[in-house]
Amino acid sequence: MLRHGNTFDRGDIVRRVGGRTDLPLSPSGREQLFGLTRALKARNAQFTTIFSSPLKRTLETAEYVRDAICPMATIDRVEALKEIDYGPDENCSEEMVITRIGRAAIDRWDQEAIPPEGWRVDTRALIIGWRKIFKDASNLPGDVLIVTSNGVARFALNAADRVEAGLGRKLRTAAFGVAEVTSDGHTSILEWNVRS
């Protein structure tokens, strides 16, 4: 499971970008993908299929990884991987978001995946979506890469049957996690938020 690269560069006003704001990768985001693919190659990663959110930033990331590592892999757009809707905070600066909801609400989101008031997050649907994605992946030959965004990614941990101790929730840009899914769909999250 992989989060897309940066959508903002140094000097930009970083905004909370959800599913309604379809940004491409920034120049630094494209640079991140070089290091990411180097890290995946070092692990001898090969993917037969890539599941990607339909957003520009995730598709661009999926295509880059495919072209660099596994040019024969197919890319399937999966609507369930589309980023959440940040409601009134969509496309607002982090400073504005914190002013509206408070630092404690952001901390609860980052640590426990509890959405702040006003965000449009159907946690039950996200968990069901992840379980279906895991099941679909278990029915395919070879390894599957899943490319999504941070808000959605954290619910993979809720959907898994087992999560290694000490893993946080947030997935940094161009960072990945590793899951093992058995043929019966039993899912274990082994690593999270890895960049190298």
Side-chain angles (χ1 to χ4, degrees), residues 61-80:
T61 300
E63 290 165 358
Y64 187 97
V65 172
R66 179 201 57 204
D67 294 349
I69 295 178
C70 47
M72 301 303 289
T74 60
I75 297 176
D76 296 340
R77 294 176 188 207
V78 178
E79 192 67 29

Side-chain angles (χ1 to χ4, degrees), residues 23-45:
L23 297 178
L25 295 176
S26 67
S28 69
R30 288 187 284 280
E31 287 175 23
Q32 283 179 306
L33 299 183
F34 177 77
L36 168 69
T37 55
R38 188 176 56 228
L40 292 173
K41 285 178 183 178
R43 290 172 171 246
N44 297 313

Side-chain angles (χ1 to χ4, degrees), residues 51 76-81 124-140 144 146 155-156 158-161 181-187:
F51 292 160
D76 296 340
R77 294 176 188 207
V78 178
E79 192 67 29
L81 293 171
R124 184 174 179 274
L126 287 166
I127 293 167
I128 290 168
W130 272 108
R131 288 184 179 146
K132 182 181 182 324
I133 290 165
F134 291 146
K135 185 163 180 20
D136 291 348
S138 74
N139 291 323
L140 293 170
V144 175
I146 300 168
F155 291 96
N158 294 70
D161 300 295
V181 185
T182 61
S183 60
D184 64 355
H186 182 87
T187 304

